[in-house]
């Protein structure tokens, strides 16, 4: 009963097979092989326009380099106070950019409040050298607490960003989970709503190690190529990242794995709703479920073989958590089975 993280899951068999199929022979290095180029073209087809694609090893690298692509002296990026770029990347976006800043924006349950964003950005007049100047806005889709920005919400935030002449970045570590939950297209959830640059995650959704920066603003591509090299993220044998993405996209595998993960989250949420010993903190929208459970009960569940973590109370959560209770996070993945969920449901019934 592994609900600790989708990072705990292994690689989907089709992706492992894709790696094996491309393990032999020779191919041009550093992202210029035939398979690399074919996968770049596949990204463009998926997003319904020409895009520039840069493979990297981790989501942290993708986010940090995406923001650094728009770096400027005194630059400030704006993100939700509980976003991954602010809370979980050890200052990497600041490090890679050589000293830009991250400014926290409030908003309920992981999502930036556009009014708070506009009010905060407006404080930094770009002509006043002492304060610093706006550099980028970053949103997470789906968010750290499993919520999802609707298409209109993305567009609203983009309008604010464009009003202050800054790009909109999307941290898409769980991009596919949000996409299938909204039942929309990659184009509609990104550039058609004003997103300029995307961190496209595959690792959490069945890949072994495959992340990419997808750049819709092609004028930035040459600079980003140098930034990636300087950051030690240019793989010599990049065909092994390309092989993962080739298998990931084939026959819609990436959408099917995300749908399965989301379905398992909904099944888990239903079991928690029916429980006498746990209660849902809020309804899940993707593949993360949050529940309030008594500490002693959580320890019993963990001792019985369930893996999950306690979580901090997010901004905007107005539910009650007793002194003997904690908020816990459960994450499902392509590898989660209905049997696992049902066994957990029996434990908490």
């Amino acid at each position: 009963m592994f609900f600790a993280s989708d990072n705990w899951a292994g690689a989907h068999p089709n992706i492992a097979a894709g790696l094996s199929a491309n393990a032999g022979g020779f191919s041009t290095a550093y992202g210029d092989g035939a398979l690399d180029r074919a996968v770049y073209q596949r990204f463009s087809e998926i997003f319904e326009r020409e895009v520039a694609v840069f493979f990297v090893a981790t989501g942290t690298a993708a986010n940090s380099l995406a923001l650094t692509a728009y770096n400027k002296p005194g630059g400030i990026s704006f993100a939700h106070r509980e976003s991954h770029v602010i809370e979980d990347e050890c200052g990497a976006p600041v490090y890679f950019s050589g000293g830009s800043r991250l400014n926290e924006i409030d908003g309920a349950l992981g999502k930036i409040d556009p009014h708070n964003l506009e009010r905060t950005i407006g404080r930094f007049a770009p002509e006043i050298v002492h304060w610093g100047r706006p550099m980028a806005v970053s949103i997470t889709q789906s968010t750290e607490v499993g919520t999802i920005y609707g298409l209109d919400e993305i567009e609203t935030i983009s309008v604010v960003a464009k009003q202050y002449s800054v790009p909109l970045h999307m941290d898409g570590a769980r991009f596919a989970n949000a996409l299938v939950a909204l039942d929309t297209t990659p184009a509609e959830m990104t550039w058609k709503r004003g997103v300029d640059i995307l961190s496209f995650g595959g690792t959490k959704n069945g890949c072994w190690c495959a992340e990419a920066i997808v750049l819709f603003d092609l004028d930035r591509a040459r600079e980003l190529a140098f930034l990636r090299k300087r950051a030690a993220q240019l793989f010599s044998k990049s065909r092994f990242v390309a092989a993962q993405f080739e298998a990931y996209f084939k026959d819609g595998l990436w959408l099917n794995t995300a749908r399965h993960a989301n379905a398992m989250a909904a099944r888990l949420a239903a079991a928690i709703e029916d429980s006498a010993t746990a209660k849902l903190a809020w309804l899940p929208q993707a593949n993360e479920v949050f529940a309030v459970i008594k500490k002693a009960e959580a320890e019993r569940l963990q001792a019985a073989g369930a893996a999950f973590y306690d979580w901090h109370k997010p901004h905007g959560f107005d539910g009650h958590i007793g002194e003997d209770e904690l908020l816990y996070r459960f994450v499902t993945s392509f590898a989660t089975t209905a049997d696992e969920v049902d066994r957990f449901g029996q434990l908490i019934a």
Side-chain angles (χ1 to χ4, degrees):
M1 296 175 288
F2 293 101
F3 308 118
S5 174
D6 36 12
N7 284 321
W8 283 36
H12 190 281
N14 292 16
I15 291 170
L19 280 164
S20 296
N22 288 278
F26 294 83
S27 177
T28 306
Y30 298 111
D32 199 32
L35 181 58
D36 298 299
R37 293 195 298 272
V39 170
Y40 302 152
Q41 178 59 35
R42 186 73 184 103
F43 269 96
S44 292
E45 292 168 359
I46 285 169
F47 284 96
E48 303 175 39
R49 60 172 287 175
E50 184 182 358
V51 297
V53 180
F54 300 84
F55 300 151
V56 294
T58 67
T60 295
N63 289 337
S64 301
L65 291 175
L67 294 176
T68 300
Y70 291 90
N71 188 30
K72 59 182 71 170
I76 303 166
S77 295
F78 300 86
H80 191 273
R81 64 164 54 251
E82 291 149 357
S83 65
H84 204 274
V85 295
I86 286 181
E87 287 205 338
D88 296 288
E89 290 177 347
C90 197
V94 175
Y95 173 77
F96 277 98
S97 65
S100 69
R101 286 180 284 163
L102 295 169
N103 196 286
E104 300 174 351
I105 306 294
D106 283 335
L109 296 181
K111 296 195 291 185
I112 287 175
D113 183 307
H115 300 293
N116 291 339
L117 175 64
E118 185 167 10
R119 184 167 57 248
T120 304
I121 292 185
R123 289 174 39 221
F124 296 92
E127 67 273 10
I128 299 180
V129 70
H130 306 286
W131 298 347
R133 51 187 173 164
M135 180 176 107
V137 174
S138 178
I139 60 173
T140 310
Q141 182 76 325
S142 58
T143 73
E144 295 301 306
V145 295
T147 53
I148 293 173
Y149 288 92
L151 300 183
D152 290 344
E153 291 177 302
I154 297 170
E155 190 165 8
T156 297
I157 290 174
S158 171
V159 168
V160 176
K162 300 301 182 287
Q163 179 182 339
Y164 291 92
S165 301
V166 296
L168 178 59
H169 163 251
M170 178 180 284
D171 175 357
R174 296 185 174 95
F175 183 87
N177 301 96
L179 189 73
V180 298
L182 290 176
D183 191 24
T184 189
T185 68
E188 286 290 347
M189 202 170 78
T190 55
W191 63 270
K192 288 188 177 182
R193 301 291 166 165
V195 175
D196 298 284
I197 190 166
L198 165 70
S199 298
F200 184 93
T203 304
K204 286 180 167 64
N205 194 34
C207 290
W208 168 70
C209 179
E211 306 288 314
I213 302 168
V214 179
L215 188 56
F216 305 106
D217 177 5
L218 298 181
D219 291 339
R220 297 274 169 171
R222 179 167 172 78
E223 285 299 308
L224 188 49
F226 282 90
L227 289 170
R228 179 179 60 168
K229 174 62 176 178
R230 189 180 66 174
Q233 289 292 317
L234 176 60
F235 296 101
S236 58
K237 296 183 180 180
S238 63
R239 61 170 153 153
F240 294 117
V241 180
Q244 293 176 73
F245 278 128
E246 179 188 46
Y248 189 59
F249 293 139
K250 187 175 181 181
D251 298 326
L253 177 66
W254 66 301
L255 303 176
N256 292 334
T257 50
R259 287 190 188 100
H260 175 81
N262 289 6
M264 291 300 98
R267 191 183 188 104
L268 180 61
I272 292 171
E273 279 193 302
D274 290 341
S275 169
T277 60
K279 57 186 178 184
L280 278 180
W282 54 86
L283 290 175
Q285 294 182 284
N287 68 317
E288 294 177 278
V289 180
F290 292 80
V292 177
I293 308 174
K294 290 185 183 296
K295 299 174 190 177
E297 174 67 3
E299 290 171 1
R300 182 185 74 84
L301 295 169
Q302 290 165 336
F308 56 93
Y309 288 127
D310 59 286
W311 203 256
H312 57 271
K313 180 180 176 180
H315 180 80
F317 172 63
D318 55 7
H320 177 71
I321 300 178
E323 290 187 6
D324 61 342
E325 296 175 323
L326 284 176
L327 180 67
Y328 293 92
R329 184 189 78 160
F330 300 78
V331 189
T332 55
S333 73
F334 78 93
T336 303
T337 66
D339 178 66
E340 281 182 276
V341 175
D342 293 345
R343 282 190 288 125
F344 183 80
Q346 292 168 5
L347 285 174
I348 63 172

